[in-house]
């Protein structure tokens, strides 16, 4: 505040002083511009409005909650409810329809694929790749070579319960570690690996020794013709698509150490409609049966 | 002389000025900070929140040491888009045993508050060793050395004792059994896991890939990442009753 009883004009600048003087130095009175001050006052009045409308002032037993009754958690729940209403009709239809009905209805299927694609980018792409192309240890979902089956219902079961996920209903059963556990000798492993390579890379070399080992040890899971069995998650070994690699070294590694990929169960993490949409999306990627 | 002119007393006497500043700041502090300690709406006890197991705690120390917080936050804000992407917004209680908390604000990478259980241990290990092996465009650095460094947990009991002083409910038994619990959490098929889970509900045992090294830093970090945001069961959490 300026003490207006002193109206002392500074000689050098012609400006009034505040009347304060320290060690012979006088303080000039250059007040804040009016427009600036008024904005300051306006924000103070605005703050009072805020105090009345929103939670603001702590009191001994609680705090003022404001006449709007706003809470940050209430706000996000209202936003989420709006979102559900926006998506409402379609998501409702997803939840009411079976997977077969969804993929038979072009409009609903298109919605499911778009909805599924966005959930895929967030939850699945880090393992299966952004287009579902997979990488070593993470299966390619575009190809018609399924570990656990490629029908809508089979894909849905895999998504809901996962594989080796700890979910009691999840897919179980590993590729045994034939080498490490001493089930096969080095020579037998070498022979059967040659045979497995020959299934997708026809060769004139003699692989009958490996075929014999295969019939005795591998056929129960992979099938007599090595075309796999989706009930135990044993893949088809006659195609050029591989989960862990189809060169001899990778196959030997598979045989020595065993394998057992881990696919999380999505039951608790994603809601049922999202899982349905994902199923339809994955089914549409190119490998669906 | 009006009261306004008395300011010269403050301006000309540094001790009076210092005391004056302290009084003003203390009032601000009392009004802004003190209520947080008694307001019901800022204190929330949530079912399921538990102290870190010794292995997770060691993993957390590595998380802090490596500065993962410089690129990752651990705080899902109560905003629609965040909840849509990451899951239920973070509750204050979920970081109540964090000293210091890892909320962060820089998101070069995604928020990690609920990454626990989202991926497999294999994925976490592969990703830490070389993020590009699973996410081709990733700009996250490699942390391959963690898989080759033995975890130094000689001081884990001291860490737990200090945290106990800060209010984390570590019992003397938990502290005494720290070494046992670290080994138990890396022996999924061992009966000792039952004991561990009794002390730390919902603790998950992980297969160690350490090979020659019994416990690696990667083992600890993976155990920590895999429990982030996974202790509270949101099916049992009443959103409506906890508006604030």
């Amino acid at each position: 505040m300026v003490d207006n009883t002193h109206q002392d004009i500074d000689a050098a600048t012609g400006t009034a002083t505040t009347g304060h003087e320290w060690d012979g130095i006088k303080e000039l009175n250059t007040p804040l511009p009016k427009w600036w001050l008024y904005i300051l006052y306006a924000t103070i009045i605005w703050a009072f409005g805020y105090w009345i409308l929103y939670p603001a002032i702590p009191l001994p037993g609680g705090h003022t909650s404001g006449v709007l009754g706003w809470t940050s958690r209430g706000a996000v729940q209202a936003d989420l409810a709006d979102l559900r209403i926006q998506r409402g009709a379609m998501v409702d239809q997803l939840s009411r329809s079976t997977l077969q009905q969804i993929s038979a209805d072009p409009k609903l299927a298109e919605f499911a694929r778009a909805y599924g694609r966005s959930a895929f980018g967030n939850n699945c792409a880090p393992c299966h790749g952004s287009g579902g192309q997979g990488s070593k240890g993470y299966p390619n979902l575009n190809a018609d070579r399924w570990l656990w089956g490629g029908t809508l219902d089979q894909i849905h079961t895999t998504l809901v319960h996962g594989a080796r996920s700890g979910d009691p209903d999840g897919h179980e059963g590993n590729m045994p570690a034939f080498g490490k556990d001493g089930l096969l000798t080095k020579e037998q492993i070498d022979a059967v690996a040659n045979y497995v390579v020959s299934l997708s890379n026809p060769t004139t070399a003699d692989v009958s020794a490996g075929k014999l080992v295969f019939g005795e040890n591998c056929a129960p899971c992979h099938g007599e013709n090595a075309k796999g069995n989706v009930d135990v998650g044993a893949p088809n070994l006659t195609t050029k698509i591989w989960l862990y690699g189809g060169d001899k070294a990778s196959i030997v590694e598979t045989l020595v150490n065993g394998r057992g990929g881990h696919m999380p169960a999505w039951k608790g993490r994603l809601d049922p409609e999202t899982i349905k949409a994902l199923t339809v999306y994955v089914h549409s990627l190119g490998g669906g049966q | 002389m009006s009261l306004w002119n008395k300011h010269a007393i403050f301006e000309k006497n540094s001790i009076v000025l210092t005391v004056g500043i302290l009084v003003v700041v203390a009032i601000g502090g009392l009004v802004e900070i003190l209520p947080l300690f008694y307001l019901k709406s800022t204190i929330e006890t949530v079912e399921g929140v538990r102290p870190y197991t010794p292995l997770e705690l060691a993993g957390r120390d590595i998380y802090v040491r490596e500065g993962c917080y410089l690129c990752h936050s651990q705080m899902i804000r109560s905003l629609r888009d965040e909840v849509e992407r990451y899951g239920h917004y973070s509750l204050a209680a979920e970081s109540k045993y964090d000293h210091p908390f890892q909320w962060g604000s820089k998101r070069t990478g995604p928020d990690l508050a609920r990454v626990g259980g989202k991926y497999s241990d294999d994925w976490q290990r592969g990703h830490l060793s070389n993020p590009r092996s699973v996410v081709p465009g990733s700009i996250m650095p490699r942390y391959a050395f963690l898989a080759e460094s033995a975890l130094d947990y000689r001081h884990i009991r001291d860490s737990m004792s200090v945290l106990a002083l800060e209010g984390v409910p570590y019992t003397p038994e938990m502290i005494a059994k720290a070494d046992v619990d670290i080994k138990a959490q890396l022996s999924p098929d061992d009966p000792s896991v039952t004991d561990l889970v009794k002390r730390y509900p919902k603790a998950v045992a992980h297969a160690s890939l350490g090979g020659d090294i019994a416990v690696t830093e990667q083992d600890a970090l993976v155990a920590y990442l895999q429990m982030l945001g996974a202790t509270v069961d949101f099916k049992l959490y009443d959103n409506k009753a906890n508006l604030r």
Side-chain angles (χ1 to χ4, degrees), chain A residues 13-38:
Chain A
T13 57
T15 310
T17 74
T18 59
H20 302 164
E21 181 180 334
W22 278 275
D23 301 336
I25 299 170
K26 287 179 176 175
E27 186 186 2
L28 298 186
N29 182 16
T30 46
L32 291 163
K34 282 271 182 313
W35 64 265
W36 193 96
L37 264 184
Y38 288 137

Side-chain angles (χ1 to χ4, degrees), chain B residues 29-89:
Chain B
L30 284 177
V31 174
E32 292 190 352
I33 301 171
L34 201 65
L36 299 178
F37 289 93
Y38 69 79
L39 280 185
K40 263 225 171 74
S41 60
T42 58
I43 306 163
E44 185 179 23
T45 34
V46 176
E47 184 88 26
V49 178
R50 62 154 169 84
Y52 295 106
T53 68
L55 186 67
E56 292 157 7
L57 185 64
R60 205 187 104 90
D61 287 345
I62 290 161
Y63 185 93
V64 175
R65 183 190 77 194
E66 297 303 330
C68 309
Y69 57 83
L70 292 166
C71 287
H72 292 286
S73 59
Q74 286 188 23
M75 161 61 83
I76 304 168
R77 293 170 292 182
S78 52
L79 298 171
R80 188 190 81 177
D81 297 356
E82 304 231 333
V83 173
E84 274 279 290
R85 173 162 181 192
Y86 298 119
H88 199 287
Y89 48 78

